[in-house]
Amino acid sequence: MSYFKHHVFFCTNQRAPGETCCNNHGAGDMRAYAKDKVKALGKKLPGNVRINAAGCLDRCEEGPVMVIYPEAVWYTYVDKEDIDEIIDEHLVHGRVVERLKI
């Protein structure tokens, strides 16, 4: 049994000015928001969850992006409400959020 039930990787890559990248869409702030949200949920989560920053995940045109393992489900998001939905549906209840899946 793994120590973490889920690893969540947020692409927080910053490219040169004018180049498409996830951090241009506030990915660093969304990662910090998700980390705080998961920490606040604590024991309400069915297993430990690790929120990680990642370098470029090579899906810049679909960004911002995040991926949740071990399921290898890729998501895009726009705002905190999308992050809340991903946390509640995927991490808490084990359901993929189809509308945000890429």
Side-chain angles (χ1 to χ4, degrees):
M1 163 88 59
S2 175
Y3 181 75
F4 293 106
K5 181 171 183 174
H6 291 102
H7 288 267
V8 181
F9 293 92
F10 279 78
C11 177
T12 57
N13 190 53
Q14 182 65 58
R15 293 187 183 271
E19 292 184 44
T20 302
C21 68
C22 291
N23 216 40
N24 286 347
H25 299 283
D29 292 337
M30 291 296 104
R31 180 201 158 267
Y33 175 79
K35 187 172 182 173
D36 290 344
K37 183 88 171 180
V38 163
K39 185 176 181 181
L41 284 170
K43 300 228 182 265
K44 293 179 184 174
L45 289 166
N48 292 330
V49 174
R50 177 75 181 175
I51 305 294
N52 296 288
C56 185
L57 294 174
D58 262 349
R59 296 188 83 171
C60 304
E61 298 301 322
E62 298 172 279
V65 299
M66 62 188 282
V67 60
I68 300 177
Y69 288 106
E71 298 92 338
V73 176
W74 290 78
Y75 291 111
T76 189
Y77 53 89
V78 174
D79 52 28
K80 290 178 180 177
E81 288 77 22
D82 289 345
I83 299 298
D84 290 341
E85 185 176 358
I86 292 166
I87 290 171
D88 183 58
E89 288 297 313
H90 192 124
L91 299 180
V92 174
H93 294 104
R95 299 183 293 246
V96 172
V97 182
E98 293 296 332
R99 74 177 190 85
L100 298 172
K101 187 178 171 190
I102 56 172

